[in-house]
Amino acid sequence: MSDVLTLPLAGETVLLHGDRALYYPAERALLVADTHFGKGAFLRRQGLAVPGGGSAADLDRLSALIGHFRPERLIVLGDFFHHRPRPGEPFLAAWPRWRAAHPTLTPEVVIGNHDRHAEGLDLDLIWHDELDLGPFRLRHDPEPVAGRHVLGGHLHPAYRLRGAGDGVRAPVFWLREAVTVLPAFGGLTGGWAVRPGRGERVVLALDGGLYPLPAAPL
């Protein structure tokens, strides 16, 4: 078990981190997917007893990753927001304070399906439909693109390990042919159980550690 895993990908070196992030040293870019900021406030509006502070905790996790890797760019692979935040919601106050604490960082977002509800908000973000970075195509929907290795999110991949009558379910990096799917970063995001196909691998991100599993048989 390690909190960082060095991985060759598309002829480049990337680093996976146990707190569900990928760092691309050649571009000094820190990538996460599916932060879903503001989801707690949205659920509370629906009458669900969800505790507050979730988005602030996720921003603190991002700060720790930035302190570790010292990136120049933070790129969110879609679903930065869970919904369009309303005036007075905690995230709208927390985000400018967080940005002020990281003045040299450039935050960017590849637009996800949830982000389309937030059109017109001014939060000092650079928005992309898609983005090329080295040999990679950064997308929200992790569908293959000819000539590129896709880095995406959207699926919130998770995997269940079973054994001795017990089991554990954890978010995973899902390493597929020419597509790598990052686990959801947000603390309230849940997960979708994946079944790796032939030659595919998953790396569990559990309690801050990384647990690579063997590739599925060819």
Side-chain angles (χ1 to χ4, degrees), residues 3-5 14-19 21-25 28-31 62-72:
D3 62 347
V4 176
L5 176 66
V14 302
L15 306 176
L16 306 186
H17 192 281
D19 207 3
L22 182 151
Y23 182 60
Y24 182 21
R28 299 196 65 180
L30 178 68
L31 278 60
L62 278 179
S63 292
L65 288 164
I66 289 163
H68 181 86
F69 289 113
R70 302 293 181 185
E72 294 179 352

Side-chain angles (χ1 to χ4, degrees), residues 9 142-144 149 155 174-181 199-201:
L9 203 63
E143 293 296 323
H149 187 104
L155 300 180
W174 187 12
L175 309 175
R176 307 170 67 188
E177 180 67 28
V179 176
T180 295
V181 188
E200 297 179 353
R201 293 186 292 155

Side-chain angles (χ1 to χ4, degrees), residues 32-101:
V32 298
D34 300 285
T35 49
H36 285 267
F37 287 124
K39 184 173 182 178
F42 175 80
L43 294 176
R44 286 190 294 276
R45 283 212 312 268
Q46 311 308 307
L48 299 177
V50 176
S55 292
D58 289 340
L59 288 173
D60 288 343
R61 292 168 53 216
L62 278 179
S63 292
L65 288 164
I66 289 163
H68 181 86
F69 289 113
R70 302 293 181 185
E72 294 179 352
R73 303 168 72 178
L74 169 68
I75 304 174
V76 180
L77 301 178
D79 289 355
F80 180 84
F81 291 111
H82 184 71
H83 70 113
R84 184 180 182 87
R86 292 185 176 181
E89 287 189 7
F91 179 76
L92 290 179
W95 175 251
R97 292 194 298 267
W98 188 89
R99 283 291 294 119

Side-chain angles (χ1 to χ4, degrees), residues 109-112 116 127-131 137-141:
V109 180
V110 176
I111 297 170
R116 302 188 189 282
W127 296 90
H128 306 277
D129 290 322
E130 295 185 353
L131 178 64
R137 173 69 54 86
L138 277 52
R139 312 185 69 205
H140 181 55
D141 194 354

